[in-house]
């Protein structure tokens, strides 16, 4: 994913490598999100490490704990149990990047005392935390233009539900790299009137990716209703028609009215 190249380059591994191997999946809630066309199934053993609700325990061993802010925080907690483990600055920088990326620089509800203590221990190694935070906060010019489009076309209901639907022909105009759209998702939540919000993007014709977010009330049940899932305050789902997208918008608005008693 080009947007994350500053952390490390993605490797292309031949399918044959997975045969009789130990495969460890990280931050992958369900098996269909594993991006290697099913080659991982040749593994002798699969270990799943994840911090989302464990609705798909596909691993032979599943270490899943949704009380953690991120898998980076989980992995750090594991390293502390390994005797003589050397926490280098290179390792610390990557783990710290993972934590502030998943917590949106400590803004979301999964941020805890443990998260801050972990981050402090990583910072103690001497990593440049300011540089990492600035890198996480940077955006390309095309993302900046997308954010301007979102703010100009955003709809906010009386219940405090915000939403934007970006059709494929519009999305293509921004020439985004993979993952860059995610940078714009938190934007709507910065508006004080907004309590919950969704960003709908048509990646392929009639295949809509929906990012659901909330400041306080749990919305992962709504994602599950439409076949998705995720955290209580940050979930996602893919939907196959604009009609279902419109139904989700209606359901979210009604959900807001009920939960927030608007």
């Amino acid at each position: 994913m080009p947007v994350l190249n500053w952390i490390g380059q993605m490797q292309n591994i031949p399918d044959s490598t997975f045969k009789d191997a130990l495969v460890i999946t990280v931050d992958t809630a369900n098996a269909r999100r594993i991006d290697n066309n099913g080659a991982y199934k040749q593994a002798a053993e699969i270990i799943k490490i994840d911090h989302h609700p464990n609705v798909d325990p596909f691993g032979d061993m599943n270490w899943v704990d949704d009380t953690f802010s991120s898998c980076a925080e989980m992995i750090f907690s594991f390293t502390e149990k390994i005797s003589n483990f050397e926490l280098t600055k290179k390792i610390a920088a990557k783990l710290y990047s993972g934590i502030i990326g998943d917590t949106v620089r400590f803004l979301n509800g999964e941020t805890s005392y443990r998260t801050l203590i972990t981050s402090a221990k990583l910072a103690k190694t001497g990593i440049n935390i300011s540089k990492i935070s600035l890198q996480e906060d940077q955006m390309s010019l095309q993302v900046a233009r997308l954010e301007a489009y979102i703010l100009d076309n955003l709809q906010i209901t009386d219940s405090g539900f915000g939403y934007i639907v970006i059709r494929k022909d519009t999305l293509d105009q921004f020439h985004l790299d993979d993952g860059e759209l995610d940078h714009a998702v938190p934007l709507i939540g910065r508006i004080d009137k907004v309590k919950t919000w969704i960003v709908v993007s048509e990646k392929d014709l009639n295949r809509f990716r929906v990012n659901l977010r909330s400041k306080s009330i749990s919305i992962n049940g709504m994602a599950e209703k439409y076949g998705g899932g995720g955290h209580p305050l940050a979930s996602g789902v893919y939907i196959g028609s604009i009609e279902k997208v419109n139904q989700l918008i209606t359901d979210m608005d009604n959900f807001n009215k009920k939960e927030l008693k608007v």
Side-chain angles (χ1 to χ4, degrees), residues 47-58:
I47 298 175
K48 174 186 178 183
I49 301 175
D50 193 39
H51 69 121
H52 300 91
N54 197 18
V55 295
D56 183 8
F58 58 81

Side-chain angles (χ1 to χ4, degrees), residues 8 16 84 97 101 141 146 148 196 201 207 211 215 220 244 249:
S16 59
N84 301 319
S97 300
L141 180 59
L146 173 66
T196 65
S201 54
R207 185 170 185 262
N211 292 279
K215 292 179 180 176
N220 58 344
K244 284 190 176 181
I249 290 170

Side-chain angles (χ1 to χ4, degrees), residues 2-259:
V3 73
L4 297 177
N5 282 348
W6 63 276
I7 298 176
Q9 296 287 326
M10 184 177 292
Q11 296 174 300
N12 291 316
I13 301 174
D15 290 353
S16 59
T17 305
F18 292 93
K19 185 173 176 57
D20 299 325
L22 169 63
V23 170
I24 302 174
T25 69
V26 180
D27 207 17
T28 307
N30 49 59
R32 64 183 177 180
R33 294 179 66 89
I34 301 175
D35 186 22
N36 71 342
N37 299 315
Y40 74 95
K41 295 178 182 178
Q42 303 176 69
E45 188 169 10
I46 299 171
I47 298 175
K48 174 186 178 183
I49 301 175
D50 193 39
H51 69 121
H52 300 91
N54 197 18
V55 295
D56 183 8
F58 58 81
D60 299 296
M61 181 184 298
N62 297 280
W63 179 27
V64 179
D65 191 337
D66 61 7
T67 68
F68 279 89
S69 71
S70 59
C71 286
E73 185 182 328
M74 293 176 70
I75 291 168
F76 175 80
S77 74
F78 181 70
T79 66
E80 289 197 302
K81 301 180 187 302
I82 303 174
S83 60
N84 301 319
F85 178 82
E86 181 185 0
L87 181 64
T88 65
K89 289 175 68 174
K90 183 177 181 180
I91 294 171
K94 293 181 185 299
L95 291 177
Y96 187 83
S97 300
I99 290 173
I100 66 169
D102 240 359
T103 63
V104 195
R105 295 179 300 284
F106 310 117
L107 284 175
N108 71 18
E110 280 72 42
T111 303
S112 66
Y113 169 84
R114 178 177 57 197
T115 308
L116 299 178
I117 291 295
T118 297
S119 300
K121 289 178 178 178
L122 294 170
K124 191 177 179 180
T125 65
I127 60 175
N128 191 331
I129 59 176
S130 176
K131 181 179 179 180
I132 294 172
S133 293
L134 286 171
Q135 182 68 57
E136 290 272 5
D137 192 49
Q138 283 188 126
M139 70 179 78
S140 65
L141 180 59
Q142 55 263 36
V143 172
R145 287 172 172 156
L146 173 66
E147 291 199 349
Y149 174 85
I150 289 173
L151 292 176
D152 198 38
N153 292 274
L154 172 68
Q155 302 293 316
I156 304 176
T157 70
D158 291 339
S159 72
F161 168 58
Y163 65 93
I164 180 79
V165 178
I166 311 172
R167 299 303 296 256
K168 187 178 187 317
D169 56 347
T170 300
L171 190 62
D172 288 346
Q173 295 175 23
F174 294 100
H175 306 291
L176 301 176
D177 290 331
D178 287 343
E180 284 196 306
L181 176 63
D182 295 343
H183 195 108
V185 172
L187 174 68
I188 300 173
R190 298 176 66 183
I191 301 171
D192 56 2
K193 182 181 178 181
V194 171
K195 308 304 178 187
T196 65
W197 68 100
I198 64 173
V199 175
V200 183
S201 54
E202 188 180 22
K203 301 290 286 184
D204 300 300
L205 187 62
N206 288 320
R207 185 170 185 262
F208 298 88
R209 181 187 179 193
V210 185
N211 292 279
L212 299 90
R213 297 292 186 269
S214 173
K215 292 179 180 176
S216 60
I217 59 176
S218 176
I219 42 81
N220 58 344
M222 187 66 68
E224 291 169 5
K225 176 181 176 180
Y226 283 82
H231 296 292
L233 304 183
S235 296
V237 63
Y238 280 93
I239 294 179
S241 71
I242 190 62
E243 290 78 18
K244 284 190 176 181
V245 168
N246 290 332
Q247 184 59 56
L248 172 60
I249 290 170
T250 299
D251 285 349
M252 283 292 295
D253 188 29
N254 289 334
F255 178 74
N256 259 29
K257 291 175 182 176
K258 177 182 176 183
E259 295 297 316

